[in-house]
């Protein structure tokens, strides 16, 4: 389980290097709902965010704990075009804009029970071994970042993500800690519809040697708080099976923010 989680977070934090994306993504045009802020919106403190972020036992079928390797420092994650940085930040678990406080957690889907006796590696062909590995890695790993903002900061930060998704549809380059890479395509997806407003999107590096591999993210506003979700599923990537931002994680986190 820890190996799977670590590998998935490597994809999150080095998204450009590993070339994650989805060649068949199509934007739904749904950047969900109620854009007006709640009248009683409150800027949450770091301590309050710590109490509200998902914790152990909150997401059925998932292990919840600290982010393996931590969320990258925002100063080390830069897009070649500044207008695309909100998208790159979301993919690496960084809250967009200028939050007053933030905290992050990682939810790892539990492995399904094996249906038969495990095979010995010596008895497997290269193809069968790859198949066994992809099955073992077929689980969603989701990084959740909660961030609070002063004034209308949450609305402006979400708007910057929406604008970036549209402006960077043709792709963009970027780097983290000196490692450079690129996405060739960014596309909006159907969002969960929770919260006051939201946007979901995916990205693609269609020129990667393994073909297009999807990386999915969603940013949801709850009053003056943003919830940033990014999900990867390495097993699904290997077999080209569709997957999305984990609905179970979004549902659990949204319930704690009501």
């Amino acid at each position: 389980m820890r190996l799977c989680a670590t590998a998935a977070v490597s994809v999150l934090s080095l998204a450009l290097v590993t070339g994650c994306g989805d060649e068949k993504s199509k934007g739904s045009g749904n950047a969900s709902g109620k854009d007006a802020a709640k009248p009683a919106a409150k800027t949450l403190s770091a301590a309050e965010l710590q109490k509200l972020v998902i914790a152990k036992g909150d997401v059925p079928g998932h292990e919840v704990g600290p982010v393996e390797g931590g969320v990258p420092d925002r100063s080390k994650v830069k897009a070649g075009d500044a207008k695309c940085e909100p998208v790159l930040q979301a993919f690496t678990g960084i809250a967009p804009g200028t939050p007053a406080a933030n905290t992050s957690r990682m939810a790892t889907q539990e492995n399904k029970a094996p249906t038969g006796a495990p095979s010995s590696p010596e008895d497997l062909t290269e193809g069968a071994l790859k198949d066994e590995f992809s099955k073992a890695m077929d689980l969603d790993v989701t990084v959740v970042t909660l961030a609070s903002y002063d004034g209308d900061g949450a609305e402006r930060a979400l708007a910057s993500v929406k604008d970036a998704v549209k402006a960077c549809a043709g792709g963009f380059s970027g780097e983290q800690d000196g490692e450079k890479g690129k996405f060739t395509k960014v596309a909006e997806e159907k969002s969960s519809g929770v919260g006051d407003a939201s946007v979901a999107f995916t990205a693609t590096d269609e020129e990667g040697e393994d073909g297009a591999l999807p990386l999915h993210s969603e940013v949801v506003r709850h009053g003056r708080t943003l919830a940033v979700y990014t999900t990867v599923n390495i097993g699904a990537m290997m077999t080209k099976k569709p997957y999305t931002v984990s609905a179970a994680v979004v549902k659990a986190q949204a319930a704690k923010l009501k």
Side-chain angles (χ1 to χ4, degrees), residues 175-214:
E175 66 177 272
Q176 180 192 332
D177 290 330
E179 296 285 351
K180 298 182 179 180
K182 67 179 179 179
F183 291 117
T184 58
K185 185 177 181 180
V186 178
E188 189 173 340
E189 298 185 301
K190 183 177 181 180
S191 65
S192 61
V194 302
D196 300 311
S198 61
V199 61
F201 47 97
T202 190
T204 306
D205 177 1
E206 294 174 311
E207 298 173 359
E209 61 181 32
D210 295 322
L213 304 173

Side-chain angles (χ1 to χ4, degrees), residues 22 25-30 187-191 200-202 216-217:
D22 180 3
S25 283
K26 294 183 179 179
S28 67
N30 180 7
E188 189 173 340
E189 298 185 301
K190 183 177 181 180
S191 65
F201 47 97
T202 190
H216 301 277
S217 188

Side-chain angles (χ1 to χ4, degrees), residues 52-138:
L52 289 172
V53 71
I54 54 170
K56 183 177 180 179
D58 285 339
V59 189
H62 290 68
E63 295 179 4
V64 179
V67 178
E68 296 281 353
V71 172
D73 187 303
R74 69 175 62 240
S75 66
K76 302 291 182 66
V77 177
K78 295 293 181 182
D81 189 332
K83 69 175 179 288
C84 299
E85 282 190 4
V87 166
L88 181 57
Q89 288 173 339
F91 281 142
T92 52
I94 298 172
T98 309
N102 63 85
T103 190
S104 300
R105 291 289 186 276
M106 185 169 73
T108 304
Q109 187 178 22
E110 296 175 352
N111 285 92
K112 298 177 181 178
T115 56
S119 302
S120 170
E122 292 79 9
D123 297 332
L124 296 173
T125 64
E126 183 178 347
L129 189 61
K130 182 177 179 180
D131 185 56
E132 289 287 323
F133 180 74
S134 66
K135 288 179 181 178
M137 297 290 280
D138 187 8

